[in-house]
Amino acid sequence: MAACTVYTTQSLNTNCSFPTPSKAHLGFHQKQVLLYRSRTSSRSSSSRPWVITCAAGDSQTVVIGLAADSGCGKSTFMRRLTSVFGGTAEPPKGGNPDSNTLISDTTTVICLDDYHSLDRTGRKEKGVTALDPRANNFDLMYEQVKAIKEGIAVEKPIYNHVTGLLDAPELIKPPKILVIEGLHPMFDPRVRELLDFSIYLDISNEVKFAWKIQRDMAERGHSLESIKASIEARKPDFDAYIDPQKQYADAVIEVLPTQLIPDDNEGKILRVRLIQKEGVKHFSPVYLFDDGSTISWIPCGRKLTCSYPGIKFFYGPETYFGNEVSVVEMDGQFDRLDELIYVESHLSNLSTKFYGEVTQQMLKHADFPGSSNGTGLFQTIVGLKIRDLFEQIVASRAQTPVKSAKA
Amino acid sequence: MATIAGLSLSGPGVMVRASESQKSNTVKFPLLLGQRSGSGRMRAVRIVRAAPDRISEKVEESIKNAEETCSEDPASGECVAAWDEVEELSAAASHARDRKKKESDPLENYCSDNPEVDECRTYDN
């Protein structure tokens, strides 16, 4: 089904690309743009060409937002998510090798650092961090995400993390699914409106410290003190600008230290909570045993033997920043395949296409961090939920009748 | 694979150490930015590949820089921005390390280009 809208060129985004108009036929997927000048243009002083753009109903992009501090597993999440849809996401071939963008068959992942308005030297001069909204161009972010959502390709700037400079822009063609990941996907209210689904990765301070130590101790020059100082220095900006975004997220993955081992400070066993907002369109939360009740479940027992410290599950309704949510929580670690299958068979509303899909996805990426605990499990589940959301949106759009052209 | 890389300097009149070129595999010319000489700005851009060693050195430098800036005034915006830079570079270094690990397996590289050959066939069930 195609819906055609008439625009004047003034209302069009300047980043429009005009594909060569081909003969319109049933089943075309691309936006057809026909440009013509009105006959009356000679009379009026401001000649305004009219543009008719026709978009096939299923060419509108689904936009997902993912927020987290750097070093918090976003890239792992991306790899799991693209794997659920099939294929691997890779940097665009032939482009800037320091590009942050990842492209697979169905998904394109854009790193929001590309919308920095200040490069590294600029930020140093002004004394602001990358977390500060003043270092980011939200107007451009909004315009470009809106354009991609409407099926218009954009020239997106590239922020080079190695040099700290803004490189020449790269062309981003509208994919089926666009994921915007970074520090501020939900900060600007206009961008928030464009998101079909949003996720926030909330890592507690102790776990963040442990993960950053793991990441940075191999680097020359880093010491425990420097890692600690870096986290502490960024904390005020993080708490002021990034953390408040979690109230807007449709799903929050919260990572905390385990409660199974008293005084554990190694951070190897994790307690992970999947906080799912109720009432989100096309999103039905995962539950354990009975939707809406409170369940505490230890799968280890007669049918399943687990090694120390075991696994503990919790499910229940809660309130989170004034919103009704359902929380599924896992504390502990998977040691064996059959533990994973056993747990999967008792979770409901997973949006899997076949029995064992979650286990299969976890095994496929057994080398990814978090594959043996709740982080990998819930990231995989959220990936399946996003796939389900995408399919529902596509199905509902295919049923919408052709709308009349808007002026 | 070649890129055009610009080196950002922390202040005017600072030149990149020539010793860097010996450590990395490609030849670089020092890049002079923002320096005013009689003949105007002089710029030599060399196509380089971002090697992890270079990033590691940047991480080291940025940590030293941050410690110095913060010893003067721990509460200032410059101190916070300096530690933020350390964080950014550490993240970039860790990504580079992961990429290097991924690229070091010749079989993986061959199979990503030729998934249909006998050596690369995978069985899911």
Side-chain angles (χ1 to χ4, degrees):
Chain A
M1 289 272 173
C4 298
T5 4
V6 181
Y7 295 107
T8 61
T9 47
Q10 284 167 1
S11 64
L12 273 182
N13 192 312
T14 47
N15 287 333
C16 271
S17 73
F18 299 114
T20 45
S22 53
K23 246 195 297 190
H25 58 280
L26 283 171
F28 68 86
H29 294 292
Q30 280 182 3
K31 222 171 170 75
Q32 303 293 335
V33 176
L34 310 163
L35 201 61
Y36 72 97
R37 276 192 114 69
S38 130
R39 294 256 170 84
T40 58
S41 63
S42 52
R43 271 197 273 138
S44 53
S45 50
S46 57
S47 52
R48 294 161 64 175
W50 292 88
V51 178
I52 302 174
T53 67
C54 300
D58 60 349
S59 75
Q60 272 214 318
T61 305
V62 171
V63 185
I64 313 282
L66 174 60
D69 196 6
S70 59
C72 292
K74 283 193 305 251
S75 26
T76 318
F77 196 156
M78 280 305 105
R79 287 187 280 171
R80 287 194 201 274
L81 180 59
T82 43
S83 163
V84 161
F85 283 100
T88 33
E90 281 163 359
K93 291 191 167 62
N96 188 335
D98 290 325
S99 160
N100 307 306
T101 312
L102 295 173
I103 300 187
S104 80
D105 297 328
T106 41
T107 12
T108 293
V109 183
I110 288 183
C111 176
L112 291 178
D113 286 349
D114 290 333
Y115 292 109
H116 280 332
S117 50
L118 299 169
D119 64 8
R120 208 177 283 157
T121 22
R123 274 179 272 143
K124 216 189 297 218
E125 278 164 25
K126 291 225 164 100
V128 298
T129 61
L131 306 160
D132 197 314
R134 287 174 289 170
N136 297 287
N137 186 348
F138 289 107
D139 292 329
L140 185 64
M141 189 193 294
Y142 168 62
E143 274 170 33
Q144 294 204 334
V145 175
K146 182 156 179 281
I148 296 177
K149 187 161 182 165
E150 288 166 1
I152 305 169
V154 297
E155 291 277 346
K156 178 191 64 71
I158 299 179
Y159 177 75
N160 190 320
H161 282 101
V162 176
T163 60
L165 301 171
L166 285 158
D167 289 345
E170 61 183 346
L171 182 70
I172 304 288
K173 294 198 214 126
K176 294 209 185 99
I177 298 167
L178 175 72
V179 182
I180 54 173
E181 57 137 354
L183 297 162
H184 305 97
M186 297 170 257
F187 185 84
D188 188 278
R190 302 166 294 175
V191 180
R192 227 182 291 147
E193 288 297 307
L194 296 171
L195 299 176
D196 293 298
F197 195 72
S198 51
I199 306 144
Y200 184 90
L201 288 179
D202 184 12
I203 319 292
S204 75
N205 295 320
E206 302 92 337
V207 177
K208 191 181 284 194
F209 189 32
W211 284 2
K212 295 217 168 161
I213 291 176
Q214 262 174 32
R215 186 192 74 179
D216 292 338
M217 279 308 263
E219 279 300 323
R220 284 196 312 263
H222 256 306
S223 62
L224 226 68
E225 291 78 29
S226 65
I227 297 175
K228 196 151 188 242
S230 173
I231 297 181
E232 309 253 313
R234 294 170 85 242
K235 202 161 186 312
D237 272 359
F238 182 79
D239 290 339
Y241 304 119
I242 316 296
D243 209 47
Q245 290 178 91
K246 61 188 182 191
Q247 60 185 300
Y248 303 116
D250 300 317
V252 177
I253 297 183
E254 202 181 343
V255 184
L256 306 151
T258 184
Q259 287 176 332
L260 299 173
I261 305 176
D263 304 322
D264 170 61
N265 55 0
E266 267 181 48
K268 293 234 171 62
I269 312 278
L270 296 170
R271 176 176 159 227
V272 189
R273 311 178 81 226
L274 175 63
I275 301 169
Q276 307 162 96
K277 201 187 266 190
E278 289 287 348
V280 176
K281 207 167 170 200
H282 304 303
F283 173 59
S284 46
V286 176
Y287 64 88
L288 201 56
F289 176 55
D290 180 25
D291 189 13
S293 45
T294 305
I295 313 277
S296 182
W297 180 46
I298 298 176
C300 316
R302 283 199 207 116
K303 275 199 234 169
L304 186 72
T305 36
C306 318
S307 46
Y308 180 80
I311 307 174
K312 199 165 178 192
F313 273 87
F314 168 83
Y315 164 73
E318 281 179 23
T319 329
Y320 187 73
F321 291 101
N323 300 313
E324 294 290 321
V325 296
S326 302
V327 182
V328 182
E329 178 184 315
M330 172 180 162
D331 196 350
Q333 237 175 222
F334 294 117
D335 281 318
R336 297 190 323 275
L337 167 64
D338 49 350
E339 288 171 9
L340 191 45
I341 276 267
Y342 191 80
V343 162
E344 182 182 347
S345 60
H346 287 81
L347 285 167
S348 310
N349 233 349
L350 285 171
S351 305
T352 48
K353 294 223 161 109
F354 53 86
Y355 173 70
E357 191 175 10
V358 174
T359 306
Q360 190 203 59
Q361 282 291 329
M362 297 272 284
L363 286 177
K364 209 159 133 191
H365 305 295
D367 55 332
F368 284 5
S371 294
S372 62
N373 58 42
T375 46
L377 176 67
F378 291 139
Q379 284 176 4
T380 309
I381 291 177
V382 170
L384 295 170
K385 284 286 165 200
I386 291 177
R387 181 182 67 185
D388 183 45
L389 177 124
F390 170 71
E391 284 166 0
Q392 284 184 46
I393 291 180
V394 166
S396 72
R397 281 200 192 129
Q399 284 167 11
T400 316
V402 176
K403 293 199 177 78
S404 52
K406 288 183 280 190
Chain B
M1 199 165 38
T3 60
I4 299 178
L7 294 174
S8 72
L9 309 173
S10 50
V14 176
M15 268 186 50
V16 176
R17 283 175 301 204
S19 59
E20 260 191 73
S21 58
Q22 279 134 25
K23 287 189 198 151
S24 69
N25 297 331
T26 55
V27 177
K28 297 176 283 205
F29 294 131
L31 192 69
L32 304 166
L33 276 179
Q35 215 182 30
R36 301 220 191 117
S37 60
S39 53
R41 222 188 276 181
M42 194 166 62
R43 186 190 281 218
V45 177
R46 187 67 178 165
I47 307 211
V48 300
R49 184 189 176 149
D53 310 309
R54 218 160 59 103
I55 306 182
S56 294
E57 280 175 21
K58 281 191 159 186
V59 172
E60 242 187 304
E61 271 172 53
S62 66
I63 297 174
K64 282 198 206 100
N65 178 33
E67 282 166 354
E68 277 164 32
T69 321
C70 291
S71 59
E72 295 157 23
D73 182 7
S76 68
E78 280 84 32
C79 171
V80 177
W83 281 120
D84 187 44
E85 191 184 324
V86 170
E87 166 61 36
E88 199 191 330
L89 285 167
S90 307
S94 130
H95 289 147
R97 253 178 287 136
D98 289 339
R99 259 202 308 256
K100 196 166 159 201
K101 232 190 304 169
K102 221 175 34 157
E103 284 166 14
S104 62
D105 185 359
L107 186 63
E108 280 291 334
N109 294 333
Y110 177 64
C111 286
S112 64
D113 293 329
N114 311 285
E116 71 288 347
V117 297
D118 284 341
E119 292 89 344
C120 300
R121 292 179 69 176
T122 52
Y123 299 88
D124 273 328
N125 54 359

